[in-house]
Amino acid sequence: MIRLLPALLVLGVLTGAQARDVAETQVQVLEALARQDWAEAQSLWQPLADAREPEAEYQLGLLLATAPAPYRNRAGARDFLTRAADHGHREASYRLGLLLAGNDPAEEAEALSRFKAAAAGGHGLAASEVARREGKSPSFRFALPDPNAPRPPDNWAPQVVTRAPDPVPGRPDAVVRTFPMPAPKPPAPAVTVDHTALTDPTPPGRKPPPPPIPETPVVAAKPPPRPPEPPPVAPPPAPSAVKPAPVGDSRIRVAALRDASSLKPFERDFFRKTADWRDGLSLTHDTGADGWTRVYLGKLLPAPEAQSLCRALKERQVDCVVVR
């Protein structure tokens, strides 16, 4: 059941009373799913979905598609996901494409159309599905030379002769291409050395070297006088106390666990999905008086930054909700 929670926690961009209704319903749905009460979870989303709330339509359709066998309803999931996608919910378009893909040609064509709609809204996974189905994924082929093929030297040149040394039977005029042997290089000239010139210190026609110049004693120079020391500089005034940057008042909750033993598996799954996150993330948790263990990101953020980070987590299939 924990494996299904990330897909059920994705929240759209809402404002005002709609956001509050969806957020409160989401918390109640999480508590129902922790008890494995799928019927109550579906009934919680039903009023908002009937009121044509796109996020509620998407959540109810996703719940109907991923619930266990007694509560799974493919036709209902398709209906609510279609309604949410028609209302501009790009995640619903992507999920609807996954639901229809791989079936009959008509549903496959509709799946491609839904993937294209989600990709036009900036959905990366939907764009990958469109490229794979349209054959736009790059492919490479490499042609390697035959290592056993004969290779003539660089200074060889092909020569055409009109008659083969061994004529081919039935083809006396066969043309054979041969490679002549390269011409041998001439030997290097011998070098002779006159050893007598090395023993004669003054060869004929050359003046003897001049006598060596006597060395002049070197007198050590006096070191230059030391420059006067600069006057002491007064220390700079102590910097005024810098006010710390304001801290946000919003937290991002990523799970609500009924059993504390599910905390470690959830943390492993979370860090696996965010292993390449550029800034790194940390988790913290607390257990309330009701026995529920709630897992949060490890720092407070301003509300706009928390909403932006939550949307980025949803792109990685990590469910979250912004609370205060």
Side-chain angles (χ1 to χ4, degrees), residues 143-307:
L144 299 178
D146 184 5
N148 300 322
R151 178 183 177 185
D154 295 337
N155 59 344
W156 285 16
Q159 180 180 4
V160 179
V161 297
T162 58
R163 187 176 298 276
D166 297 327
V168 180
R171 298 182 61 187
D173 297 331
V175 177
V176 178
R177 297 180 182 272
T178 61
F179 297 94
M181 294 295 293
K185 295 181 180 180
V191 179
T192 58
V193 180
D194 186 4
H195 296 279
T196 60
L198 299 177
T199 58
D200 188 3
T202 55
R206 183 177 297 178
K207 296 181 180 180
I213 300 176
E215 297 181 358
T216 304
V218 178
V219 179
K222 295 182 179 180
R226 296 179 60 184
E229 295 183 358
V233 179
S240 59
V242 179
K243 297 182 179 180
V247 180
D249 58 348
S250 299
R251 305 176 71 183
I252 299 178
R253 183 168 62 200
V254 295
L257 307 176
R258 181 62 175 176
D259 188 4
S261 62
S262 303
L263 180 61
K264 291 299 181 180
F266 172 80
E267 290 179 345
R268 287 195 297 269
D269 183 72
F270 176 86
F271 289 118
R272 178 182 61 81
K273 293 179 179 178
T274 60
D276 58 339
W277 201 272
R278 61 181 182 274
D279 295 330
L281 297 174
S282 61
L283 294 178
T284 182
H285 66 277
D286 58 52
T287 303
D290 56 352
W292 284 83
T293 300
R294 294 169 175 84
V295 186
Y296 303 87
L297 289 189
K299 58 182 178 181
L300 294 175
L301 296 171
E305 294 183 17
Q307 292 288 349

Side-chain angles (χ1 to χ4, degrees), residues 6 17 43 51 54 59 69 75-76 82 118 141 147 165 226 231 233-234 237 242 304 318 322:
S43 64
Q59 292 288 347
T82 301
R141 295 181 179 177
R226 296 179 60 184
V233 179
V242 179
V318 176
V322 178

Side-chain angles (χ1 to χ4, degrees), residues 18-69:
Q18 293 178 342
R20 288 193 297 271
D21 293 342
V22 171
E24 293 174 358
T25 304
Q26 185 67 65
V27 173
Q28 298 173 7
V29 169
L30 284 174
E31 295 175 351
L33 291 178
R35 299 190 302 270
Q36 299 186 2
D37 193 345
W38 297 90
E40 181 182 355
Q42 294 174 6
S43 64
L44 289 171
W45 283 123
Q46 191 71 45
L48 291 176
D50 292 340
R52 299 186 178 276
E53 173 57 52
E55 181 63 27
E57 292 172 341
Y58 161 69
Q59 292 288 347
L60 181 55
L62 190 61
L63 190 62
L64 292 173
T66 57

